[in-house]
Amino acid sequence: MFDFQNAELNKNSYKETIKPGIHVVKITNVTNGVSAQKQAPFLEFTAESVDGSAELKQQYYLSTTVNPGKQKSAWDISKNAILSLVAASNSLDEETAKSKMPSAKSAEELAQKLAMLIIGKEFRLKVNGEEKISQKGTKYVASNFANGVFCESSKSAETKLVFSADKNIKKLPIDAAPQVQEGFSSPADDLPAF
């Protein structure tokens, strides 16, 4: 017998991607992983809009090796960004944030300790963009956490973060830009059509 007592409507399981600009967000997840190509360890932070409708993931690499031609390791760069996230989400100054930073023996332990410090706490995040071409040949804007001063406490009335689409969205070279529809990135954008 066919009945529909336990049937449900299909629901979109993908969240929109946070678009470039300045947003109040909260970190909802901190995980660790290893890159596919170079097997480099990283931490991945998932930021979600306050209303829960959009999210953005950012990876910070943990390699302490200084590659040829470079002056810093990935960790030298990542640790500053991670410290900034902890300071902004907890409304702390630099010295107080440093005193709260955990020491860890592994990426997994570091992810767990950082998660306890920042998950669920609101802060302002500057999101940059970069024009790219999808597998379908459409131009879209991929979002990422900005560099430099990219986050701050949301408790201050006014933001010190500055966003300009002309400066904070990296454009494709004119000759590489397709003459097709445009949009913003979403996890579902490049899924194969069934």
Side-chain angles (χ1 to χ4, degrees):
M1 176 168 168
F2 299 101
D3 71 49
F4 291 89
Q5 291 296 53
N6 295 324
E8 296 178 356
L9 291 175
N10 290 332
K11 296 177 180 96
N12 184 357
S13 61
Y14 295 105
K15 291 188 178 185
E16 289 292 318
T17 299
I18 297 174
K19 294 176 176 46
I22 298 171
H23 304 275
V24 176
V25 301
K26 60 185 173 188
I27 299 295
T28 57
N29 200 11
V30 181
T31 57
N32 64 292
V34 178
S35 67
Q37 289 183 345
K38 295 185 179 181
Q39 297 296 298
F42 64 81
L43 293 182
E44 183 173 80
F45 293 80
T46 303
E48 184 177 82
S49 59
V50 201
D51 66 3
S53 65
E55 71 179 11
L56 181 60
K57 294 180 181 186
Q58 182 74 34
Q59 294 177 350
Y60 290 107
Y61 287 87
L62 307 177
S63 172
T64 57
T65 304
V66 178
N67 291 322
K70 302 288 183 179
Q71 295 179 346
K72 294 181 176 183
S73 70
W75 172 244
D76 291 329
I77 297 164
S78 296
K79 67 183 176 185
N80 295 329
I82 294 168
L83 178 66
S84 295
L85 289 170
V86 170
S89 61
N90 289 282
S91 300
L92 302 173
D93 61 50
E94 181 179 344
E95 288 308 311
T96 308
K98 279 184 184 177
S99 72
K100 303 251 184 222
M101 296 305 285
S103 59
K105 294 181 176 145
S106 68
E108 182 178 9
E109 182 183 353
L110 183 58
Q112 290 170 352
K113 289 181 174 183
L114 286 169
M116 289 188 283
L117 279 173
I118 66 176
I119 284 184
K121 299 177 180 176
E122 294 181 9
F123 63 97
R124 282 191 200 98
L125 176 68
K126 179 178 174 179
V127 177
N128 282 349
E130 181 178 355
E131 290 182 346
K132 295 187 174 194
I133 310 274
S134 75
Q135 292 174 347
K136 295 177 182 176
T138 58
K139 182 170 73 169
Y140 68 97
V141 176
S143 298
N144 55 55
F145 289 22
N147 296 318
V149 178
F150 70 99
C151 59
E152 68 182 6
S153 171
S154 59
K155 294 190 175 160
S156 61
E158 289 187 34
T159 182
K160 293 179 183 167
L161 300 175
V162 178
F163 178 84
S164 163
D166 291 336
K167 293 180 181 176
N168 297 116
I169 298 178
K170 184 178 176 185
K171 305 287 185 199
L172 282 170
I174 302 269
D175 56 344
Q179 300 299 318
V180 292
Q181 73 182 57
E182 297 181 17
F184 283 92
S185 66
S186 174
D189 280 353
D190 287 328
L191 291 178
F194 294 102

